[in-house]
Every structure is written in C-alpha cells, then in structure tokens.
Amino acid sequence: MDGSRRCPATGRVIRLCRNDERGRIVKYLCLVYLDEAHWSACPDQECFEFASTLAGSGRLVAAEPLHPVHTATTVRVRNGQVALYDGPFAETKELLAGFYLIDAADLNEALSIAGRIPPAKYGSIEVRPVRELSVDGFRSFSPQPAAG
Amino acid sequence: MPVATALEDAYRRDRRKVFATLVRLLGGFDLAEEALHEAFRIAADRWPVEGVPRNPAAWLVSVGRFRAIDRLRRDRRFISLDDAVDAVEAEPDPAAPPDEQGGLEDDQLRLIFTCCHPSLAEEAQIALTLREVCGLATEAIARAVLVKPSALAQRIVRAKAKIRDARIPYHVPDADELPERLPSVLRVVYLIFNEGYAPSSGERATDPALSQEAIRLARLLRELLPEPEVIGLLALLLLQESRRLAREAADGEFVSLEQQNRSRWDRAHIAEGQALAEQALRSGRIGPYTLQAALAAVHAEAECWEDTDWTQIVGLYDVLLRVEPSPVIELNRAVAVAMRDGPVAGLALIDALMRLPALTQYAPGYAARADLCRRAGRYEEARAAYRQALALSEQGPTQRYFQLQLDQLPAT
C-alpha cells in the first residue's frame, strides 16, 4: 500500500493521510483508566514531570487529572428535558465518542453547558471535575482560554 | 430568662440556621460543623458572665466564624490555606448588616437546595437533608431509613465530598432554574414524610418523628419560598398526617382508610391542610402535590367511606394523570371508579393495569383487586389475590392486614 486507494464508487484516488505524510499533526486522545485500588498509586510528582517533558517537546495539548468517579454527574437530554444522574454513565453500549474540556464557575454552569452539547440528545455526557496536581509550582497543562 | 434556658433555646431553635450561614461563610460543611460546636462551647463559657446577647443567632455566627478564621490562620503555616483565609475574611461580618435575619433564612434555603441537588443520588439527598438541614444524628437517620449506621455515614461523607469536589454551588436557584430544581427538593421532603408515614419495611406501622421532620421542612420551605407546589405539598402532608392516629390500631396494626374511625382524625391538621390546598389551587399553577392534597381534602370532607364524593375523586385522578402519568395513579383511579360505578367496572380497569410490568410485583395492586373481588362476591379470586399481595409485601403490619382480610373472607 502506498497510502492511497481508489474509491469504488467514483473511481477517484483517495489519499489515506498519515500524520507525517504532509507534515501534519493529528491529535490523539490518550485516556487514563484506573481501578479504585490504584487510583492514587501514581504520585502526582511523577505525572507532573512526564507532562512537563511532553510539554517541552511540543507534543502536549492538554492534560488534566480527574476527581474520583463519585464526583461524576451524567447528563442526558430526552424529549427536550434535561435529566441528571448521580455517577458515571451506566449504558455499557455507549462508547466514548469525544470530549469537551470546559471552564465553568460551578457544577450548575457545567451541567447547563453539558446539557447543550448536541449528542446529549442521543447518548450521555459524563461531567467530572478536574482536580489540581498537588505539586509545588504547578501550572495547568491545558491552554488557558482567552479572557472575557 | 436563665442563661441555661437561653442556651438550650438557641441550640434548639438556631443551631441549623447558624450552621447554614457558617457553611456559606466558611465554604464547607466540615469547617462549619466544627465552628458551630466551638461557638456553642464559647457561648456556654461567656453567656453566664457577659449575659445573653440580644441576637443569639448572629452572635453564634460571628463567634463561630472568627474561631474558624483563627484556626485557619494557625494552620496555614502547615498547609497552604491562604486563599481560604482570604476568601473567608473577605466576607462581610454577618453580625453587622441590619437585615441579618433575612440572610440567615436565605442560607437555610441554600442549604436545602444544595443537599437536594439533582446530581446527588436520591438516597444521598435524603440522608444529607436529614443530617445537615434537620440536624438528626447519623444513628437516628440510619434507623429511620433502615441501613447500617456505617453505610449511612459513608453515604453522607461521599455526598459531602461530591459537593466539595464537583463544586455544587451553595445558592438558591434563580427563577428560571427553579422549575427544574424545586421538584427534587419537594420529592425529598415527600419521601421523608412517607418513610415515617408508611415505612417500606420493618415492624412499625408508622414513625411519627420522621413525618414531623418532613412537616417542619415543608413549613420552612413554605415560609421561605411560597410557590404553589410548596404550599400544595405542605397541605398534602398535613392532611395525611391528620389520619395518623386512626391509621394505626392500639395493637400497632394498620387500619385502612375505609375502616378508620374518623372521629380520631386531627381536625386542626385537616382545617389547615384544606385552607392551604385551596390556596394552592387558586394559584392556577396546579402541580401533582396540590392535586394529591385536593384528593386528600375530598376524603377529609366525607363523614364516612360511603359518603366520599367519588365523582370528584375520579375527576381529580384524571387531572393528576395528565400532569403525572403513572400506573400507580391509574390503579388508584380504578379503585375510585369501582366505588363510583361498582366493583365490576373497577375490576375491568385493574385487570388491564396489572398486566403492566410496573405493577406485576406491586402488592397494593393485588390487594385492590382482592378487595374489589370480595365486593363483587368473587371470593375465590379474592383469596388468590390476597395471597399474592401477602407474598409480595415486606412490611409486618401490612402483611398482617392482608392476612386478616384473607381470614375474614366468607368460605365458598
């Protein structure tokens, strides 16, 4: 394979771009999963150092640790009505499809934004607060939104 | 007034108000709880010497807050709490403004809305409300809701952690948010009442303390937020509570509405409940609690079961079903139809309803069917339905009630 193939319908050649093909960068989301027993197994300092190195290499867009699952609220919108549930989403058929990292004054504002995320009408939005790494001199690894 | 009495009074009357305000001023439940205990400890030392302050609640808030700030200052050498201290110090002195009482009341409402936030599980909302708003001890709540004290304590700790970490705000929803947020508050109050009025399991027919607590909460809500459904809920609770004595026989057994000695109904509760129900109905914004209060008021007006205005009851159930469709309400309506048009008409409705998945395991549904079969003279069917009700019931007095009905059926 040379990274291209012919579209069976139109006969046009489609280029299957890899991230390096035109010097373009593709974003990847790396999701961290932990069971409760290992929730705090990894020291914040270690995570901080890794993220700092990554940021130095220009490859880090955003990184945030989350509070444990008991802080989660799930938002669903059905028939125009927002329904809130304590805890993470329960439908095992639902798979991770995307993410929004938002700034909000409190949970009410976060839930109100989450309720407006379009796929909330078909699936679930799990809203989980971001925590701060307890590391001296910590700064967020996520880009800060423009003031206003 | 002796100082000891003033202190007791303040403890009973102002403790939860002071707590609610300290939560706002200190930004956390645990800090507020500690500050509250400190404030009462200092009051016990100083009031006998300095005299009882003119406004004990404001005094307690002020002392509790300063003590907490002192502690935060002492601790900040060890943990980085500068921001917390700055935030707490930035708050205006609560004892200073002249409208301090209004402030304290708003804080109680804030506390209620925070404890009943819809992002907390319902059982956590109930536990937190009883603990933080009503000030009940963890052991008492655990007994009331039938879980182990350790499990209940864990539930409360987790809920508080979620409030803190997920930043559930400490504020009363604005007018446009209120329609979304009020239902969970009303539901918590209603569930607390019901757990005291008709416990879902256990040996006692009723637990008056929990129902009293729910009525107290509903009165507080009505004072602070006189929305029609708040008034309707208070009306409903009072009208139901009016039957408590008649509902429980001397031996603790359950007595059905039909068999209750209506002279034992509490007339003061009924009068107050009826007046509130009318007030809520006049608002024109009629919700499910107001409609249930109206239903209870119709029952309260009847001298005996047979005198009940069943046409009005059926009509109210029809409206209630439009506002809040539910198989259980359909079932109650079917019983009312049976009383209006005869048992056969009711049975036709009930038989269709009992095929719904929501009702196939619902003991009161079988009991209602059994009762209508008995009235229609179909004793064998009544016997079978009572047996099903008995098998599905988990609460001692209810089980014995079904058994008694079964034993009293004529032999065929």
Side-chain angles (χ1 to χ4, degrees), chain B residues 51-72:
Chain B
V52 178
R54 198 176 46 81
N55 185 338
W59 189 95
L60 289 161
V61 166
S62 178
V63 166
R65 172 172 168 268
F66 282 119
R67 268 306 161 116
I69 293 172
D70 267 357
R71 275 197 27 158
L72 288 173

Side-chain angles (χ1 to χ4, degrees), chain B residues 230-240 269 272-274 276-277 293:
Chain B
V230 173
I231 298 168
L233 175 66
L234 177 58
L236 172 63
L237 302 192
L238 288 168
L239 287 163
Q240 294 209 17
H269 276 39
E272 193 188 355
Q274 281 171 327
L276 288 165

Side-chain angles (χ1 to χ4, degrees), chain B residues 133-166:
Chain B
V133 183
C134 306
L136 262 57
T138 307
E139 292 72 27
I141 303 167
R143 252 196 322 277
V145 300
L146 297 165
V147 298
K148 285 202 193 112
S150 56
L152 190 98
Q154 177 72 1
R155 196 178 281 177
I156 290 176
V157 166
R158 287 222 156 187
K160 282 192 201 166
K162 180 162 186 177
I163 290 172
R164 184 189 62 228
D165 297 334

Side-chain angles (χ1 to χ4, degrees), chain B residues 49-291:
Chain B
V49 183
E50 298 169 12
V52 178
R54 198 176 46 81
N55 185 338
W59 189 95
L60 289 161
V61 166
S62 178
V63 166
R65 172 172 168 268
F66 282 119
R67 268 306 161 116
I69 293 172
D70 267 357
R71 275 197 27 158
L72 288 173
R73 278 215 193 97
R74 257 181 288 131
D75 291 350
R76 81 161 132 192
R77 274 166 292 158
F78 308 108
I79 38 172
S80 171
L81 270 173
D82 302 58
D83 291 349
V85 174
D86 292 345
V88 168
E89 285 179 337
E91 288 288 341
D93 183 346
D99 61 337
E100 60 213 7
Q101 286 305 321
L104 292 190
E105 280 158 10
D106 284 352
D107 285 332
Q108 279 196 292
L109 208 48
R110 286 191 180 96
L111 185 59
I112 293 172
F113 274 99
T114 302
C115 290
C116 299
H117 196 278
S119 77
L120 298 169
E122 203 160 69
E123 62 265 35
Q125 294 175 23
I126 291 170
L128 259 189
T129 302
L130 287 171
R131 179 74 199 88
E132 308 301 341
V133 183
C134 306
L136 262 57
T138 307
E139 292 72 27
I141 303 167
R143 252 196 322 277
V145 300
L146 297 165
V147 298
K148 285 202 193 112
S150 56
L152 190 98
Q154 177 72 1
R155 196 178 281 177
I156 290 176
V157 166
R158 287 222 156 187
K160 282 192 201 166
K162 180 162 186 177
I163 290 172
R164 184 189 62 228
D165 297 334
R167 302 191 58 168
I168 293 179
Y170 198 60
H171 90 142
V172 179
D174 306 328
D176 60 327
E177 291 176 280
L178 204 58
E180 266 176 40
R181 294 289 311 283
L182 191 57
S184 69
V185 172
L186 298 179
R187 185 163 170 77
V188 164
V189 177
Y190 184 68
L191 288 174
I192 290 173
F193 178 86
N194 248 350
E195 206 41 55
Y197 190 71
S200 47
S201 59
E203 272 311 302
R204 295 192 59 187
T206 68
D207 179 355
L210 269 192
S211 299
Q212 291 302 333
E213 222 33 85
I215 289 174
R216 219 194 316 273
L217 271 172
R219 282 193 195 284
L220 177 68
L221 272 173
R222 193 220 159 196
E223 217 173 278
L224 304 177
L225 195 73
E227 284 284 306
E229 272 291 84
V230 173
I231 298 168
L233 175 66
L234 177 58
L236 172 63
L237 302 192
L238 288 168
L239 287 163
Q240 294 209 17
E241 183 66 15
S242 75
R243 301 183 207 138
R244 174 182 296 279
L245 279 179
R247 213 169 161 269
E248 197 173 338
D251 55 4
E253 296 303 300
F254 169 75
V255 185
S256 73
L257 183 57
E258 181 179 1
Q259 290 156 350
Q260 283 171 21
N261 174 358
R262 297 187 176 209
S263 70
R264 301 190 73 203
W265 286 0
D266 182 326
R267 293 290 144 188
H269 276 39
I270 290 177
E272 193 188 355
Q274 281 171 327
L276 288 165
E278 278 164 27
Q279 191 192 343
L281 285 167
R282 274 197 309 271
S283 75
R285 288 186 288 149
I286 298 168
Y289 292 109
T290 301
L291 287 165

Side-chain angles (χ1 to χ4, degrees), chain B residues 329-370:
Chain B
I329 295 170
E330 295 261 16
L331 188 69
N332 289 332
R333 181 184 174 275
V335 172
V337 168
M339 293 312 298
R340 188 188 62 184
D341 302 338
V344 177
L347 275 172
L349 295 173
I350 284 190
D351 287 343
L353 286 170
M354 292 307 284
R355 284 194 282 273
L356 296 174
L359 293 183
T360 51
Q361 302 294 311
Y362 188 63
Y366 292 100
R369 178 168 207 285

